[in-house]
Amino acid sequence: MAWPEGDDARIVVVSRFSDDFRVPVGNWAAVKRAQLALEEAFYDIGLSVAPGKLKTPRIETYRQWLETVNDPRVTGAASVAALAAMENEEYFAGEWEPADVTDEQVAGAAEVLAEQRTALHVTVTTTRLVRRSIGLLASARSPRAVPLLSFLLTQYAHLTPAVCSYLSSIVQSDNEAAGVDAVVEQLTGPRSRMAWQVGWLLHALSLANTPRVDIAEVALPRLFDESLPWFARSAAARATAVHGALPPLDRYFGVYERATDAARPDLVSAVIVAEPSWKSRFLSGIGTDPLLRDISEHAPEEVRQWF
């Protein structure tokens, strides 16, 4: 998205969910001022900063965290080779999906994941290795990481967005069934997943093309789960809509009325995509919000592309 137009145009990257923000400042006094400002901003909206999550390292410490490319603890042949390749690649902390992937790279990425599954520790280096491997397999639409989903979500929970981006690529490929089966297993299995992980997994299910009853059965209860954050419940609405199981109007509108402003566009989009018999009655009650009204004027196929 470009804003504003003309010579001063800037590129604005919009992320549905963001985590791990880094705020570089010039001196230690500025660090403490930034920390205080953040804590006050959270306090004003009724939240508090978790002490264990907010770190204020000096630049030397932060550099040590990143400069571990030649970590001697990485001994697997595929992992060592991947580290060498990473020396000539631009580091990127988000999703990493190169345009062209060879069969050799796919095999190497799968081997790296197998090696890291037996590693004793999760470090900055192993995180970069796993993220890189997931990106390669996502670009190749390779299902070779699907059997490792439980391991990835457990040991590398901080990479859940990248893992679910990989799953999204799989459920939109010829390996859709395997990807969906793996996600459903994670949402119905004995191991409990964190609420925000549930949201990402439901998002992946909303991208599946083949309607499935088990997806609807998994997603619908999450729509009404008051313990889940709204981004997870809105993902449940999208997954439920795609797989033809939106609830009756009275129950759905009850959810909509309690939803946050940020979640309502997804709830409206779900109705546009599903086209239930009560669609017109629902849209007549969403008010005059220009964003919601704009969504309601698009075709279901177009809105589905926004998922």
Side-chain angles (χ1 to χ4, degrees), residues 179-193:
V180 169
D181 288 344
V183 175
V184 170
E185 182 180 359
Q186 292 304 308
L187 291 172
T188 58
R191 182 181 289 275
S192 177
R193 293 298 172 195

Side-chain angles (χ1 to χ4, degrees), residues 223-224 226 230 233 237 248-268 271 278 281-282 284-287 292:
L223 175 61
F224 300 105
E226 299 284 352
W230 276 106
R233 296 177 71 179
L249 175 60
D250 57 342
R251 295 197 68 196
Y252 193 80
F253 201 78
V255 172
Y256 175 82
E257 286 187 314
R258 295 192 299 275
T260 62
D261 289 343
R264 287 187 171 187
D266 276 339
L267 296 176
V268 173
V271 173
W278 43 260
R281 285 183 290 160
F282 173 83
S284 68
I286 64 174
L292 302 181

